[in-house]
Amino acid sequence: MTGAELAIHGCSMLNPDFSITTDATIRIGQGRILEITANSQEPGSIPAGTALDGHGLLALPGLIDAHTHSAQQLLRGSVVDELPMIWARILVPFESALTPEDVYASARLFIIENLKAGITTFAEAGGPHMQATARAAVEMGIRACISPSTMDLGDFVPPAMKMDASQAVRVTEQLYQEFNGAGNDRIHIWFGIRQLMTSSPELLRAVAARSKEMKTGVHTHLAEHLDEVSFCLRTYHKRPAEVFDSFGMLGPDLLCAHSVRLADREIVLMRERGANPVHCPRSNLGSHGFSKTPLMLALGMSIGLATDGASGTRLDLFEQMRLLKSAVQGRYGLEINDPLALPAIETLRMATSGGANAVRLGGEIGTLEVGKNADLILLDIDQPHISPTANLPQTIVMAAGPSDVKHVIVDGRLVLKNREFLEIDEEAIRREAAAALQRVSRRAGLALPSPYLGR
Ligand SMILES: [Zn+2]
């Protein structure tokens, strides 16, 4: 038997059923989890590789951000407390001004923030110059499902950001040929339908057909805005999920970011088709609405969790877990005296196996099991805000944060050790990103508050 390349000794570990194994040894090799043993059992049969002391640490599956925007990392500080329409007034000029170099600098900053927050997989919803994001993801060791932005409709979309259906397919095919399966299959290329309001029926038909032929997924914003619902009722005489269904797209290969402005019958339809809702609580609570999470859970649906990018917050799925739990409790639990409107553990499921299902990798990541990809994070639980506790998984949801992430392993490779990157120059990336922020803001005509002005 081939030996392990990495072994973590003496850690606690979150099992797929959310119980905890203590004093575990996890052996990793060829990018996979080779063996998990409790120290009280017979020692493992696999020869050990590099040893990592796991005492005082909890091994969790790497977190999965199932809807994000790597090209919006440099928008931080430009959208909070701004009045509508942020999309037309800020986002469009910003994205239009991005060059491949800017997107690369943005993606690199985005990836170090992700890894330091324990996020080992991200689903990119689509922005410009996605080759730059894919290249950064390959180089920096993170796992990603990346879609390019394709839009062909809408008065508020400038011509430079539009492409027709055949162009949209061609752009995605090129990205697919260049990057799908890259980095030992860490990178998957998907189609993107940015939203129904910016997509013609021709674009929807073309993406539906070609994504099926290529056996890849489609990432979309679904039922995010009331405007979108009105557009669908006016244009198709259907609600958003029903529109996707009429194009044959509503199913396990459709990642439905937001999924907030849904009628109950759309949720039932999504359940029947196996479509994947992904909640973005911070973003939804700002301007979009409450998700109907209790109904989805009652129907047994798998749900993913997401940050929706760093423009308005940090890339922190711990915060999103707590925020969603509180929001659902406030909206649905309070008035019926139901403290279990959203159990804490369900939010942890969303950030791990729910996200894995949403990115079509449920068999590969999202739980710590022998044979799965070795994407795992080790949290320092020997701290006053976590230990001692009578219920460790619940305490992780309610009290842990990115700064508790001590080591990060993606695809069997230790990328972050003691919160230091082993092969990534974090300082250089932050410097490059600061320079890119200056360039883009000037080009896009976005006002930046001091101290950025004049630097
Ligand atoms: Zn989004």
Side-chain angles (χ1 to χ4, degrees), residues 162-353:
K162 282 183 181 166
M163 56 182 86
D164 66 23
S166 58
Q167 249 179 315
V169 167
R170 205 162 51 243
V171 161
T172 311
E173 283 175 344
Q174 277 168 1
L175 192 65
Y176 186 94
Q177 276 155 18
E178 199 176 344
F179 286 104
N180 193 63
N184 196 32
D185 204 30
R186 277 186 291 108
I187 310 301
H188 291 175
I189 302 302
W190 287 39
F191 279 85
I193 290 293
R194 192 116 183 199
Q195 54 165 310
L196 286 169
M197 282 191 291
T198 58
S199 307
S200 71
E202 292 73 36
L203 180 59
L204 290 165
R205 266 194 292 275
V207 167
R210 201 64 188 111
S211 63
K212 282 191 181 72
E213 284 163 9
M214 290 163 64
K215 296 187 169 47
T216 192
V218 181
H219 191 143
T220 192
H221 293 77
L222 176 75
E224 181 184 8
H225 292 282
L226 284 180
D227 285 353
E228 174 193 343
V229 177
S230 304
F231 169 86
C232 290
L233 291 173
R234 237 184 6 253
T235 312
Y236 296 100
H237 306 133
K238 289 182 168 67
R239 297 188 60 88
E242 296 166 343
V243 173
F244 275 109
D245 196 46
S246 70
F247 284 91
M249 297 174 82
L250 197 69
D253 298 331
L254 188 69
L255 190 160
C256 306
H258 300 287
S259 292
V260 285
R261 296 294 190 175
L262 293 166
D264 290 0
R265 63 181 180 280
E266 288 177 281
I267 294 173
V268 171
L269 183 64
M270 288 173 74
R271 165 80 178 84
E272 281 170 10
R273 299 289 189 263
N276 291 290
V278 168
H279 292 332
C280 313
R282 191 273 314 162
S283 170
N284 296 150
L285 289 170
S287 55
H288 308 144
F290 289 91
S291 53
K292 293 181 172 176
T293 312
L295 173 60
M296 292 177 178
L297 290 178
L299 290 170
M301 293 170 80
S302 173
I303 303 172
L305 194 67
T307 62
D308 205 8
S311 60
T313 187
R314 61 181 186 176
L315 303 174
D316 176 358
L317 285 173
F318 297 99
E319 182 183 38
Q320 299 300 324
M321 287 190 256
R322 283 192 282 278
L323 190 56
L324 184 64
K325 176 167 173 53
S326 296
V328 168
Q329 183 60 28
R331 175 71 178 79
Y332 303 102
L334 266 184
E335 63 180 338
I336 57 168
N337 194 15
D338 179 12
L340 296 177
L342 177 53
I345 267 340
E346 292 303 326
T347 67
L348 187 53
R349 193 191 308 277
M350 291 176 199
T352 53
S353 57

Side-chain angles (χ1 to χ4, degrees), residues 65 68-80 109-110 113 282 307-315:
D65 188 347
T68 188
H69 296 268
S70 62
Q72 291 176 13
Q73 192 76 11
L74 303 179
L75 260 183
R76 181 171 274 154
S78 293
V79 298
V80 174
L109 182 66
F110 165 89
E113 189 185 351
R282 191 273 314 162
T307 62
D308 205 8
S311 60
T313 187
R314 61 181 186 176
L315 303 174

Side-chain angles (χ1 to χ4, degrees), residues 13-87:
M13 192 192 98
L14 185 76
N15 295 310
D17 65 358
F18 293 90
S19 64
I20 300 284
T21 296
T22 54
D23 276 340
T25 293
I26 305 171
R27 289 189 170 83
I28 291 164
Q30 297 94 51
R32 303 262 160 190
I33 298 173
L34 299 179
E35 188 181 67
I36 299 170
T37 49
N39 281 359
S40 54
Q41 294 173 348
E42 287 291 301
S45 56
I46 300 172
T50 305
L52 205 57
D53 182 5
H55 289 93
L57 305 181
L58 171 69
L60 285 182
L63 305 180
I64 297 162
D65 188 347
H67 174 78
T68 188
H69 296 268
S70 62
Q72 291 176 13
Q73 192 76 11
L74 303 179
L75 260 183
R76 181 171 274 154
S78 293
V79 298
V80 174
D81 293 345
E82 288 289 341
L83 300 175
M85 284 276 292
I86 290 174
W87 209 87

